[in-house]
Amino acid sequence: MAKRKPQDEFIVVDVDSPMSEVFARISKHRSCWKHMVTSLYTHGKKIKKKEAEKLRRFDLISQCFLGTFPTRQRSRRRIKHKFAITRVIKEKEKKRLDSGEFDCYFQNLWKSFSKEKRTSFVYLDSLWFYWYLKASWKGKVLTWIKRKQIFSKKYVLVPIVCWGHWSLLIFCHLGEVSESNDRTPCMLLLDSLEMANPRRLEPDIRKFVLDIYTSEGRPEDKKLISQIPLLVPKVPQQRNGEECGNYVLYFINLFMLGAPDDFSIKDYPYFMNKNWFSPECLERFSEELESFGK
């Protein structure tokens, strides 16, 4: 009976192991059998067991000098600089809020107010205005808003995120549209980036409001609805491109604290002005809000 020819076995090297960094460093080294194997492996060549046995014989005659001579250490100054850049990037990422983070912080903020204070307010989800602009979502969004019964509230908070930027829309006394009513309804648009031209949203906002009235079968005349003032107060401005979400949350916080029982255009802009709050106040507020979620 013919003897079965033994199959060659291959040496497998785990490149994900802790030694992978060492392999990368010695791949160009040639003074001992281990480094010869490593060099062949890094160039994509498989090593058979018999060939490896031959290479091991060099261990007796070929001394390894890799550990004899010191290798150049990485510059500590360079490492510190790298860590400093990473820290700055992470700090910036902390300030940028996506819709999920915004909603989480907003819920914590909302719960911090008493039930008595919240009775005058209602809010819409931060993505509803964005989805309303999509034709396929328009009907669903109007149905969700109908459940909020916004016309029974004095103030409606509408966070808006469009083109990667946050702003705050506030409806005041929407259920009071009447020629003979002393309380004139109005809309406030608070934007911490005035240079981005907040009024570019006005056509979509007015269409949004008109569709809300229509979807609920309100008796108000369309002409009166179209004449509801849209006011854009001069509020504090953000210092970089990542703070807009934090500004909107702080706008909500301060407006809920200071909103009058009956909002009057005669007394506008009330507390909403460019000196409304300082960057330090915003920073403390953001830190406190973040601590609530922990």
Side-chain angles (χ1 to χ4, degrees):
M1 181 181 293
K3 291 185 178 180
R4 192 175 180 182
K5 186 178 179 180
Q7 296 181 350
D8 291 324
E9 298 181 14
F10 296 95
I11 294 177
V12 179
V13 182
D14 184 4
V15 294
D16 293 326
S17 69
M19 292 299 292
S20 59
E21 184 178 350
V22 178
F23 287 160
R25 187 162 58 92
I26 66 179
S27 62
K28 296 181 181 180
H29 190 60
R30 299 289 187 276
S31 67
C32 72
W33 72 272
K34 294 180 182 179
H35 302 151
M36 289 180 181
V37 172
T38 303
S39 177
L40 292 171
Y41 175 78
T42 55
H43 288 82
K45 298 179 180 179
K46 294 182 178 180
I47 311 299
K48 295 181 179 179
K49 187 174 181 180
K50 288 183 178 180
E51 294 173 346
E53 290 294 338
K54 293 179 182 179
L55 291 171
R56 285 193 182 96
R57 296 173 188 171
F58 284 93
D59 191 30
L60 300 175
I61 59 176
S62 180
Q63 183 180 359
C64 176
F65 295 99
L66 184 63
T68 305
F69 301 101
T71 57
R72 184 173 66 88
Q73 298 294 325
R74 293 179 65 187
S75 170
R76 291 185 178 181
R77 182 179 179 182
R78 188 175 180 180
I79 294 173
K80 288 181 178 179
H81 180 64
K82 181 179 179 181
F83 286 156
I85 293 175
T86 304
R87 185 172 63 253
V88 171
I89 292 174
K90 286 184 177 180
E91 287 177 357
K92 286 187 175 181
E93 288 178 348
K94 276 185 178 181
K95 295 177 182 177
R96 187 183 298 115
L97 299 181
D98 59 30
S99 58
E101 292 169 331
F102 181 93
D103 288 337
C104 181
Y105 288 135
F106 175 78
Q107 289 301 325
N108 290 331
L109 176 61
W110 180 256
K111 293 175 184 176
S112 68
F113 289 98
S114 65
K115 290 184 178 180
E116 184 180 358
K117 172 64 71 174
R118 287 182 292 183
T119 54
S120 299
F121 293 82
V122 69
Y123 63 88
L124 304 188
D125 187 277
S126 63
L127 288 177
W128 284 5
F129 184 82
Y130 173 79
W131 285 337
Y132 164 80
L133 299 178
K134 310 292 182 182
S136 58
W137 283 90
K138 179 178 175 181
K140 294 180 181 178
V141 172
L142 293 173
T143 300
W144 296 336
I145 294 175
K146 191 174 182 179
R147 297 171 185 167
K148 288 282 188 174
Q149 301 179 346
I150 66 175
F151 294 102
S152 64
K153 301 294 182 178
K154 294 180 181 179
Y155 302 105
V156 183
L157 305 173
V158 188
I160 293 178
V161 56
C162 282
W163 306 293
H165 177 63
W166 290 95
S167 55
L168 176 64
L169 177 65
I170 304 176
F171 297 145
C172 306
H173 306 299
L174 277 193
E176 304 291 338
V177 176
S178 174
E179 292 181 347
S180 60
N181 203 312
D182 295 332
R183 262 187 323 202
T184 305
C186 67
M187 299 180 288
L188 305 173
L189 183 57
L190 280 57
D191 197 321
S192 60
L193 194 62
E194 188 178 347
M195 61 182 295
N197 185 21
R199 287 200 175 271
R200 73 195 186 284
L201 290 170
E202 183 169 358
D204 290 324
I205 289 174
R206 292 200 174 279
K207 189 174 183 303
F208 182 53
V209 173
L210 181 59
D211 283 341
I212 291 175
Y213 276 94
T214 303
S215 67
E216 298 208 17
R218 298 285 298 186
E220 288 82 359
D221 184 84
K222 290 184 178 180
K223 184 178 179 181
L224 291 176
I225 296 172
S226 64
Q227 293 175 349
I228 297 176
L230 176 61
L231 310 174
V232 184
K234 301 282 186 180
V235 294
Q237 298 294 285
Q238 63 193 72
R239 298 160 296 180
N240 57 48
E242 290 82 29
E243 293 181 311
C244 51
N246 297 73
Y247 269 78
V248 168
L249 289 167
Y250 202 33
F251 288 155
I252 293 172
N253 179 63
L254 295 182
F255 187 85
M256 290 188 69
L257 288 172
D261 292 335
D262 296 316
F263 194 94
S264 172
I265 295 181
K266 295 179 181 179
D267 298 322
Y268 170 82
Y270 288 95
F271 39 77
M272 296 171 290
N273 54 61
K274 62 181 181 180
N275 298 317
W276 191 3
F277 55 84
S278 66
E280 292 74 23
C281 292
L282 173 67
E283 198 69 32
R284 287 195 297 271
F285 167 78
S286 300
E287 291 174 358
E288 292 174 1
L289 198 62
E290 189 173 353
S291 66
F292 289 156
K294 294 181 179 180

